[in-house]
Amino acid sequence: MSLLIQENIALKPYTTLKTGGVARYVLTVTNLAELEEAARFIAEKKLSYLVIGGGSNILVPDEGFAGVVILNQLKGVSYLEETEDEIILEAGAGEVFDEVVSETVQKGYWGLENLSAIPGTVGATPVQNVGAYGVEMSNVIVGVDVYDMKELSVKYFSVEECEFAYRESFFKTDKGKKYFITTVYIRLKKNSTPKIAYADLQKRFLGEEPTLVKVREAIISIRSEKFPDWNVIGTAGSFFKNPVIDEEHADTLKKQFPELPMYEAGMGMFKIPLGYVLDKVCRLKGIRYGNVGLYEQQALVLVNYGDASTEEIKKFAQTIIDVVFRKTKIIITPEVQYIETK
Ligand code: NAP
Protein backbone atom coordinates (compact mmCIF):
# COMPACT_ATOMS: atom_id res chain seq x y z
CA MET A 1 0.00 0.00 0.00
CA SER A 2 1.29 3.40 -0.77
CA LEU A 3 0.36 6.72 0.74
CA LEU A 4 -3.26 7.80 0.14
CA ILE A 5 -3.31 11.40 -1.17
CA GLN A 6 -6.63 13.24 -1.44
CA GLU A 7 -7.25 16.82 -2.52
CA ASN A 8 -9.74 19.49 -1.41
CA ILE A 9 -11.30 17.50 1.39
CA ALA A 10 -13.85 18.99 3.84
CA LEU A 11 -12.43 18.83 7.36
CA LYS A 12 -15.74 19.21 9.23
CA PRO A 13 -16.32 15.44 9.53
CA TYR A 14 -12.78 15.01 10.92
CA THR A 15 -13.32 17.36 13.87
CA THR A 16 -15.59 16.77 16.85
CA LEU A 17 -16.60 20.49 16.85
CA LYS A 18 -17.92 19.87 13.31
CA THR A 19 -16.76 23.19 11.86
CA GLY A 20 -14.18 24.45 9.39
CA GLY A 21 -13.46 24.46 5.67
CA VAL A 22 -11.54 22.38 3.18
CA ALA A 23 -7.96 21.06 3.34
CA ARG A 24 -5.79 21.41 0.23
CA TYR A 25 -4.38 17.90 0.74
CA VAL A 26 -5.27 15.07 3.10
CA LEU A 27 -2.71 12.24 3.46
CA THR A 28 -3.66 9.05 5.30
CA VAL A 29 -0.67 7.47 7.02
CA THR A 30 -0.84 3.83 8.16
CA ASN A 31 2.86 2.97 8.61
CA LEU A 32 6.33 4.53 8.90
CA ALA A 33 7.12 4.19 5.19
CA GLU A 34 3.98 6.20 4.35
CA LEU A 35 4.89 8.75 7.00
CA GLU A 36 8.28 9.22 5.32
CA GLU A 37 6.49 9.63 1.96
CA ALA A 38 4.22 12.20 3.58
CA ALA A 39 7.21 14.14 4.98
CA ARG A 40 8.85 14.18 1.52
CA PHE A 41 5.57 15.31 -0.09
CA ILE A 42 5.29 18.21 2.40
CA ALA A 43 8.94 19.25 1.83
CA GLU A 44 8.53 19.09 -1.94
CA LYS A 45 5.34 21.18 -1.95
CA LYS A 46 6.79 23.56 0.69
CA LEU A 47 3.50 23.45 2.61
CA SER A 48 2.71 23.52 6.32
CA TYR A 49 1.08 20.45 7.83
CA LEU A 50 -1.38 19.54 10.53
CA VAL A 51 -1.79 16.14 12.17
CA ILE A 52 -5.33 15.00 12.93
CA GLY A 53 -5.99 12.02 15.17
CA GLY A 54 -9.47 12.10 16.67
CA GLY A 55 -9.97 15.78 15.78
CA SER A 56 -11.24 16.41 19.30
CA ASN A 57 -9.05 19.35 20.19
CA ILE A 58 -8.87 21.56 17.08
CA LEU A 59 -10.76 24.49 15.63
CA VAL A 60 -10.30 24.63 11.85
CA PRO A 61 -10.84 28.03 10.11
CA ASP A 62 -13.91 28.48 7.90
CA GLU A 63 -11.48 29.33 5.07
CA GLY A 64 -10.00 25.85 5.45
CA PHE A 65 -6.36 24.77 5.65
CA ALA A 66 -4.08 25.56 2.73
CA GLY A 67 -1.49 22.93 3.64
CA VAL A 68 -1.38 19.18 4.20
CA VAL A 69 -3.48 17.36 6.78
CA ILE A 70 -2.05 14.03 7.92
CA LEU A 71 -4.62 11.58 9.18
CA ASN A 72 -2.82 9.44 11.72
CA GLN A 73 -3.75 5.78 11.26
CA LEU A 74 -0.65 4.21 12.85
CA LYS A 75 -2.17 1.23 14.65
CA GLY A 76 -1.04 -1.65 16.82
CA VAL A 77 -1.16 -2.58 20.50
CA SER A 78 1.24 -5.00 22.20
CA TYR A 79 2.52 -5.72 25.68
CA LEU A 80 6.26 -5.85 26.42
CA GLU A 81 8.69 -6.56 29.28
CA GLU A 82 6.40 -8.41 31.63
CA THR A 83 7.67 -8.58 35.23
CA GLU A 84 5.88 -9.82 38.32
CA ASP A 85 4.28 -6.41 38.95
CA GLU A 86 4.44 -4.46 35.71
CA ILE A 87 4.06 -4.60 31.97
CA ILE A 88 4.85 -2.05 29.29
CA LEU A 89 2.10 -1.29 26.82
CA GLU A 90 3.23 -0.29 23.31
CA ALA A 91 0.44 1.54 21.47
CA GLY A 92 0.39 2.99 17.96
CA ALA A 93 -0.31 6.73 17.99
CA GLY A 94 -3.33 6.38 15.70
CA GLU A 95 -5.17 3.98 18.01
CA VAL A 96 -8.37 5.32 19.58
CA PHE A 97 -7.23 6.09 23.14
CA ASP A 98 -10.36 4.90 24.92
CA GLU A 99 -10.32 1.56 23.08
CA VAL A 100 -6.80 1.03 24.42
CA VAL A 101 -7.86 2.06 27.94
CA SER A 102 -10.79 -0.35 27.74
CA GLU A 103 -8.55 -3.24 26.69
CA THR A 104 -6.04 -2.64 29.51
CA VAL A 105 -8.84 -2.60 32.08
CA GLN A 106 -10.33 -5.80 30.66
CA LYS A 107 -6.92 -7.44 30.97
CA GLY A 108 -6.73 -6.34 34.61
CA TYR A 109 -3.88 -3.81 34.19
CA TRP A 110 -3.96 -0.64 36.34
CA GLY A 111 -2.80 2.80 35.23
CA LEU A 112 -5.17 4.21 32.62
CA GLU A 113 -8.57 3.61 34.27
CA ASN A 114 -8.92 7.23 35.51
CA LEU A 115 -8.41 8.38 31.92
CA SER A 116 -11.50 6.52 30.66
CA ALA A 117 -13.85 8.05 28.08
CA ILE A 118 -11.42 10.73 26.89
CA PRO A 119 -11.88 11.38 23.16
CA GLY A 120 -8.99 11.31 20.70
CA THR A 121 -6.07 9.12 19.73
CA VAL A 122 -3.15 7.70 21.71
CA GLY A 123 -0.72 10.06 19.95
CA ALA A 124 -2.52 13.15 21.19
CA THR A 125 -2.24 12.20 24.87
CA PRO A 126 1.47 13.01 25.39
CA VAL A 127 1.21 16.27 23.44
CA GLN A 128 -0.98 17.97 25.99
CA ASN A 129 -0.17 15.57 28.83
CA VAL A 130 -3.83 14.62 29.05
CA GLY A 131 -5.00 14.13 32.61
CA ALA A 132 -8.17 13.48 34.53
CA TYR A 133 -9.21 12.62 38.08
CA GLY A 134 -5.71 12.83 39.52
CA VAL A 135 -3.83 10.88 36.82
CA GLU A 136 -1.80 12.42 33.99
CA MET A 137 -0.11 10.70 31.05
CA SER A 138 3.23 11.84 32.53
CA ASN A 139 2.57 9.46 35.47
CA VAL A 140 2.38 6.40 33.21
CA ILE A 141 4.41 7.15 30.08
CA VAL A 142 7.85 5.52 29.88
CA GLY A 143 8.72 7.16 26.57
CA VAL A 144 7.55 7.79 23.00
CA ASP A 145 8.87 7.02 19.52
CA VAL A 146 8.73 9.97 17.15
CA TYR A 147 9.44 10.65 13.50
CA ASP A 148 11.45 13.78 12.74
CA MET A 149 9.53 15.30 9.82
CA LYS A 150 12.50 17.53 8.84
CA GLU A 151 15.40 15.07 9.19
CA LEU A 152 13.31 12.04 8.11
CA SER A 153 14.58 9.94 11.02
CA VAL A 154 13.20 8.01 13.96
CA LYS A 155 13.98 9.02 17.56
CA TYR A 156 13.03 7.92 21.08
CA PHE A 157 12.09 10.45 23.80
CA SER A 158 12.23 9.30 27.43
CA VAL A 159 9.59 10.64 29.82
CA GLU A 160 12.09 13.28 31.06
CA GLU A 161 12.78 14.41 27.50
CA CYS A 162 9.04 14.90 26.95
CA GLU A 163 9.26 17.81 29.48
CA PHE A 164 5.76 17.24 30.82
CA ALA A 165 3.95 19.92 32.83
CA TYR A 166 0.26 20.60 33.52
CA ARG A 167 -1.37 20.00 30.06
CA GLU A 168 1.99 20.85 28.46
CA SER A 169 4.90 19.00 26.87
CA PHE A 170 7.99 19.52 24.72
CA PHE A 171 5.85 18.58 21.68
CA LYS A 172 3.85 21.80 22.06
CA THR A 173 6.98 23.98 21.89
CA ASP A 174 8.41 25.40 18.64
CA LYS A 175 11.35 22.96 18.81
CA GLY A 176 9.04 20.02 19.45
CA LYS A 177 6.62 20.63 16.59
CA LYS A 178 8.69 18.80 13.94
CA TYR A 179 8.29 15.50 15.79
CA PHE A 180 5.40 13.28 14.82
CA ILE A 181 4.58 10.85 17.67
CA THR A 182 4.35 7.32 16.28
CA THR A 183 4.27 5.05 19.36
CA VAL A 184 3.61 5.58 23.06
CA TYR A 185 5.07 3.28 25.76
CA ILE A 186 3.02 3.11 28.96
CA ARG A 187 3.84 1.42 32.28
CA LEU A 188 0.89 -0.54 33.72
CA LYS A 189 0.64 -2.38 37.05
CA LYS A 190 -0.82 -5.77 37.75
CA ASN A 191 -1.87 -4.64 41.24
CA SER A 192 -2.47 -1.15 42.51
CA THR A 193 -4.56 1.04 44.78
CA PRO A 194 -7.51 2.83 43.18
CA LYS A 195 -7.08 6.60 42.86
CA ILE A 196 -10.45 7.98 43.88
CA ALA A 197 -9.51 11.18 45.76
CA TYR A 198 -11.50 13.48 43.42
CA ALA A 199 -14.86 14.40 44.96
CA ASP A 200 -16.97 13.17 42.01
CA LEU A 201 -15.31 9.75 42.26
CA GLN A 202 -15.30 9.50 46.05
CA LYS A 203 -19.07 10.01 46.10
CA ARG A 204 -19.51 6.97 43.81
CA PHE A 205 -17.66 4.65 46.16
CA LEU A 206 -19.20 5.46 49.54
CA GLY A 207 -19.43 2.03 51.20
CA GLU A 208 -18.34 0.22 48.05
CA GLU A 209 -15.01 -1.38 47.12
CA PRO A 210 -13.51 0.36 44.03
CA THR A 211 -12.27 -2.42 41.73
CA LEU A 212 -10.42 -1.63 38.51
CA VAL A 213 -13.49 -2.26 36.36
CA LYS A 214 -15.71 -0.26 38.70
CA VAL A 215 -13.38 2.76 38.61
CA ARG A 216 -13.60 2.79 34.80
CA GLU A 217 -17.38 2.37 34.91
CA ALA A 218 -17.72 5.19 37.47
CA ILE A 219 -15.65 7.57 35.34
CA ILE A 220 -17.59 6.72 32.19
CA SER A 221 -20.80 7.37 34.09
CA ILE A 222 -19.58 10.70 35.59
CA ARG A 223 -18.33 11.91 32.23
CA SER A 224 -21.50 10.91 30.39
CA GLU A 225 -23.49 13.07 32.82
CA LYS A 226 -21.18 16.07 32.45
CA PHE A 227 -20.08 15.88 28.82
CA PRO A 228 -22.28 15.61 25.72
CA ASP A 229 -21.79 12.66 23.37
CA TRP A 230 -19.35 14.00 20.75
CA ASN A 231 -20.76 11.53 18.20
CA VAL A 232 -24.06 13.39 18.38
CA ILE A 233 -23.32 17.01 19.39
CA GLY A 234 -20.47 19.17 18.07
CA THR A 235 -18.05 19.68 20.97
CA ALA A 236 -14.38 19.47 21.88
CA GLY A 237 -14.93 18.61 25.54
CA SER A 238 -13.41 21.26 27.82
CA PHE A 239 -12.91 24.25 25.56
CA PHE A 240 -10.77 26.25 28.02
CA LYS A 241 -7.91 25.29 30.33
CA ASN A 242 -8.44 25.30 34.08
CA PRO A 243 -6.41 28.39 35.08
CA VAL A 244 -3.52 28.39 37.54
CA ILE A 245 -3.09 31.66 39.48
CA ASP A 246 -0.65 33.01 42.07
CA GLU A 247 -1.27 33.22 45.81
CA GLU A 248 -2.02 36.96 45.89
CA HIS A 249 -4.64 36.61 43.19
CA ALA A 250 -6.06 33.53 44.95
CA ASP A 251 -6.34 35.47 48.25
CA THR A 252 -8.22 38.31 46.55
CA LEU A 253 -10.64 35.89 44.91
CA LYS A 254 -11.14 33.96 48.16
CA LYS A 255 -12.31 37.21 49.82
CA GLN A 256 -14.62 38.03 46.92
CA PHE A 257 -15.97 34.49 46.44
CA PRO A 258 -15.49 32.52 49.70
CA GLU A 259 -17.05 29.35 48.22
CA LEU A 260 -14.69 29.22 45.21
CA PRO A 261 -12.76 25.89 45.32
CA MET A 262 -8.99 26.06 44.84
CA TYR A 263 -6.35 23.34 44.63
CA GLU A 264 -2.64 23.80 45.36
CA ALA A 265 -0.66 23.45 42.15
CA GLY A 266 2.87 23.72 43.65
CA MET A 267 5.33 26.69 43.65
CA GLY A 268 2.74 28.81 45.51
CA MET A 269 0.24 28.55 42.67
CA PHE A 270 -3.45 27.54 42.78
CA LYS A 271 -5.59 25.66 40.26
CA ILE A 272 -9.09 27.06 39.84
CA PRO A 273 -11.96 24.90 38.54
CA LEU A 274 -13.11 27.02 35.61
CA GLY A 275 -16.40 25.10 35.35
CA TYR A 276 -17.31 26.50 38.80
CA VAL A 277 -16.25 30.06 37.84
CA LEU A 278 -18.30 29.99 34.63
CA ASP A 279 -21.31 28.58 36.46
CA LYS A 280 -21.44 30.14 39.94
CA VAL A 281 -19.38 33.32 39.52
CA CYS A 282 -20.22 34.35 35.94
CA ARG A 283 -23.62 32.62 35.70
CA LEU A 284 -22.84 31.45 32.17
CA LYS A 285 -23.77 27.76 32.41
CA GLY A 286 -26.24 26.88 29.65
CA ILE A 287 -25.86 30.28 27.96
CA ARG A 288 -26.49 30.16 24.22
CA TYR A 289 -26.01 32.61 21.33
CA GLY A 290 -27.35 31.28 18.05
CA ASN A 291 -25.72 27.94 17.37
CA VAL A 292 -23.05 28.13 20.08
CA GLY A 293 -23.38 27.66 23.81
CA LEU A 294 -21.94 26.40 27.09
CA TYR A 295 -23.32 22.98 27.97
CA GLU A 296 -26.09 22.84 30.60
CA GLN A 297 -24.36 20.10 32.62
CA GLN A 298 -20.80 21.48 32.51
CA ALA A 299 -20.07 25.09 31.64
CA LEU A 300 -16.49 24.33 30.59
CA VAL A 301 -17.84 22.51 27.56
CA LEU A 302 -18.56 24.63 24.49
CA VAL A 303 -21.20 23.15 22.20
CA ASN A 304 -21.97 23.62 18.51
CA TYR A 305 -25.74 23.11 18.64
CA GLY A 306 -26.28 23.44 14.91
CA ASP A 307 -24.26 24.52 11.96
CA ALA A 308 -22.09 27.08 13.74
CA SER A 309 -19.15 28.54 11.85
CA THR A 310 -15.67 28.66 13.32
CA GLU A 311 -15.94 32.46 13.38
CA GLU A 312 -19.10 32.24 15.50
CA ILE A 313 -17.33 29.89 17.92
CA LYS A 314 -14.30 32.18 18.18
CA LYS A 315 -16.47 35.25 18.86
CA PHE A 316 -18.47 33.37 21.47
CA ALA A 317 -15.29 32.07 23.15
CA GLN A 318 -13.84 35.61 23.24
CA THR A 319 -17.01 36.88 24.94
CA ILE A 320 -16.59 34.19 27.62
CA ILE A 321 -12.90 35.11 28.06
CA ASP A 322 -13.88 38.80 28.50
CA VAL A 323 -16.64 38.08 31.04
CA VAL A 324 -14.34 35.86 33.15
CA PHE A 325 -11.67 38.58 33.13
CA ARG A 326 -14.13 41.31 34.14
CA LYS A 327 -15.43 39.26 37.07
CA THR A 328 -12.21 37.64 38.32
CA LYS A 329 -9.20 39.23 36.56
CA ILE A 330 -8.28 35.68 35.48
CA ILE A 331 -7.05 35.43 31.89
CA ILE A 332 -8.38 32.14 30.58
CA THR A 333 -7.05 30.49 27.45
CA PRO A 334 -8.56 27.93 25.07
CA GLU A 335 -7.37 24.36 25.46
CA VAL A 336 -8.61 23.76 21.93
CA GLN A 337 -5.95 24.55 19.33
CA TYR A 338 -6.93 27.32 16.87
CA ILE A 339 -5.58 26.27 13.47
CA GLU A 340 -4.35 28.95 11.04
CA THR A 341 -5.30 28.77 7.36
CA LYS A 342 -1.66 28.57 6.16
P1 NAP B 1 -13.35 18.76 38.06
O1 NAP B 1 -13.17 17.33 38.43
O2 NAP B 1 -14.51 19.52 38.56
O3 NAP B 1 -12.02 19.55 38.38
C1 NAP B 1 -11.89 20.91 37.99
C2 NAP B 1 -10.51 21.41 38.36
O4 NAP B 1 -10.28 21.23 39.76
C3 NAP B 1 -9.39 20.70 37.64
O5 NAP B 1 -8.39 21.66 37.38
C4 NAP B 1 -8.90 19.70 38.64
O6 NAP B 1 -7.52 19.46 38.52
C5 NAP B 1 -9.16 20.40 39.96
N1 NAP B 1 -9.45 19.43 41.02
C6 NAP B 1 -10.66 18.88 41.33
N2 NAP B 1 -10.56 18.04 42.37
C7 NAP B 1 -9.26 18.05 42.73
C8 NAP B 1 -8.51 17.37 43.75
N3 NAP B 1 -9.11 16.54 44.62
N4 NAP B 1 -7.18 17.62 43.82
C9 NAP B 1 -6.58 18.45 42.96
N5 NAP B 1 -7.22 19.11 41.97
C10 NAP B 1 -8.54 18.93 41.86
O7 NAP B 1 -13.27 18.96 36.47
P2 NAP B 1 -14.12 18.47 35.23
O8 NAP B 1 -14.18 19.61 34.29
O9 NAP B 1 -15.37 17.76 35.60
O10 NAP B 1 -13.12 17.40 34.60
C11 NAP B 1 -12.89 16.15 35.21
C12 NAP B 1 -11.45 15.76 35.05
O11 NAP B 1 -11.13 15.65 33.65
C13 NAP B 1 -10.47 16.80 35.62
O12 NAP B 1 -9.41 16.11 36.21
C14 NAP B 1 -10.05 17.58 34.39
O13 NAP B 1 -8.77 18.17 34.52
C15 NAP B 1 -10.02 16.44 33.37
N6 NAP B 1 -10.07 16.92 31.97
C16 NAP B 1 -8.89 16.92 31.27
C17 NAP B 1 -8.82 17.35 29.97
C18 NAP B 1 -7.51 17.31 29.24
O14 NAP B 1 -6.56 16.67 29.67
N7 NAP B 1 -7.40 17.96 28.14
C19 NAP B 1 -9.98 17.82 29.35
C20 NAP B 1 -11.18 17.79 30.08
C21 NAP B 1 -11.20 17.36 31.41
P3 NAP B 1 -6.88 18.56 37.36
O15 NAP B 1 -7.15 19.25 36.07
O16 NAP B 1 -5.43 18.53 37.72
O17 NAP B 1 -7.52 17.21 37.44
Side-chain angles (χ1 to χ4, degrees):
M1 283 264 288
S2 69
L3 178 68
L4 173 65
I5 301 175
Q6 294 168 288
E7 292 189 53
N8 304 320
I9 299 294
L11 289 178
K12 231 183 236 195
Y14 293 101
T15 74
T16 60
L17 267 169
K18 310 251 185 325
T19 63
V22 165
R24 178 70 188 91
Y25 293 100
V26 171
L27 312 185
T28 305
V29 163
T30 64
N31 58 43
L32 267 188
E34 289 176 3
L35 184 54
E36 181 176 335
E37 247 186 276
R40 289 186 191 281
F41 180 92
I42 289 161
E44 198 181 293
K45 300 263 182 221
K46 296 192 174 60
L47 291 172
S48 56
Y49 71 95
L50 161 71
V51 183
I52 296 190
S56 57
N57 206 36
I58 52 170
L59 187 59
V60 175
D62 296 317
E63 300 74 34
F65 181 64
V68 176
V69 166
I70 305 181
L71 293 183
N72 181 357
Q73 291 288 325
L74 298 173
K75 301 282 186 180
V77 172
S78 51
Y79 297 86
L80 316 166
E81 282 185 35
E82 191 153 354
T83 68
E84 219 169 279
D85 318 310
E86 286 180 2
I87 53 128
I88 305 295
L89 163 71
E90 175 183 2
E95 290 284 344
V96 174
F97 183 63
D98 194 54
E99 288 175 7
V100 175
V101 175
S102 168
E103 182 182 297
T104 62
V105 170
Q106 274 169 34
K107 284 181 179 290
Y109 298 141
W110 295 80
L112 295 177
E113 61 283 359
N114 286 38
L115 304 175
S116 290
I118 289 177
T121 50
V122 165
T125 61
V127 177
Q128 65 154 329
N129 186 15
V130 162
Y133 304 101
V135 176
E136 290 183 343
M137 286 309 287
S138 61
N139 305 140
V140 291
I141 284 181
V142 179
V144 301
D145 285 337
V146 300
Y147 188 73
D148 184 330
M149 297 291 283
K150 293 256 155 40
E151 305 294 327
L152 309 187
S153 60
V154 176
K155 195 174 175 326
Y156 174 80
F157 276 75
S158 67
V159 63
E160 290 78 20
E161 287 170 315
C162 294
E163 294 176 12
F164 288 124
Y166 185 64
R167 304 288 178 266
E168 295 291 343
S169 77
F170 172 71
F171 304 108
K172 272 194 170 179
T173 65
D174 284 344
K175 277 190 185 159
K177 290 218 167 93
K178 67 171 177 164
Y179 296 107
F180 183 114
I181 295 170
T182 57
T183 310
V184 180
Y185 299 92
I186 294 167
R187 177 175 287 110
L188 300 172
K189 307 252 184 215
K190 293 184 186 167
N191 290 297
S192 189
T193 330
K195 294 187 178 59
I196 55 159
Y198 274 45
D200 278 352
L201 259 180
Q202 249 178 39
K203 275 186 239 154
R204 300 269 165 154
F205 289 108
L206 292 173
E208 202 194 336
E209 187 64 24
T211 64
L212 176 57
V213 170
K214 281 185 180 161
V215 172
R216 173 165 165 83
E217 283 171 0
I219 286 180
I220 290 173
S221 160
I222 293 165
R223 292 187 72 111
S224 71
E225 283 163 21
K226 280 190 170 181
F227 295 85
D229 181 349
W230 68 85
N231 295 307
V232 182
I233 296 182
T235 177
S238 306
F239 192 88
F240 301 101
K241 289 184 200 168
N242 283 304
V244 178
I245 59 173
D246 65 27
E247 198 169 354
E248 197 186 334
H249 196 167
D251 284 345
T252 311
L253 288 179
K254 200 80 207 164
K255 282 181 199 126
Q256 258 181 301
F257 311 105
E259 305 286 311
L260 176 63
M262 299 182 179
Y263 302 95
E264 278 183 37
M267 321 254 286
M269 306 294 277
F270 291 85
K271 219 175 349 167
I272 307 295
L274 183 58
Y276 182 98
V277 173
L278 293 171
D279 178 12
K280 303 281 192 278
V281 175
C282 302
R283 304 281 167 199
L284 291 170
K285 187 153 99 174
I287 192 170
R288 182 170 171 172
Y289 288 118
N291 289 318
V292 192
L294 295 183
Y295 195 51
E296 291 94 350
Q297 310 302 328
Q298 164 60 295
L300 200 47
V301 175
L302 182 147
V303 175
N304 173 4
Y305 283 106
D307 207 10
S309 67
T310 293
E311 219 32 56
E312 263 179 282
I313 292 179
K314 278 189 185 170
K315 272 195 193 135
F316 179 85
Q318 190 55 50
T319 308
I320 304 298
I321 291 169
D322 294 344
V323 173
V324 171
F325 184 74
R326 272 206 304 278
K327 286 267 185 191
T328 65
K329 296 286 175 286
I330 297 175
I331 300 170
I332 60 167
T333 51
E335 183 173 284
V336 169
Q337 193 194 342
Y338 287 20
I339 306 299
E340 286 174 27
T341 299
K342 284 196 191 266

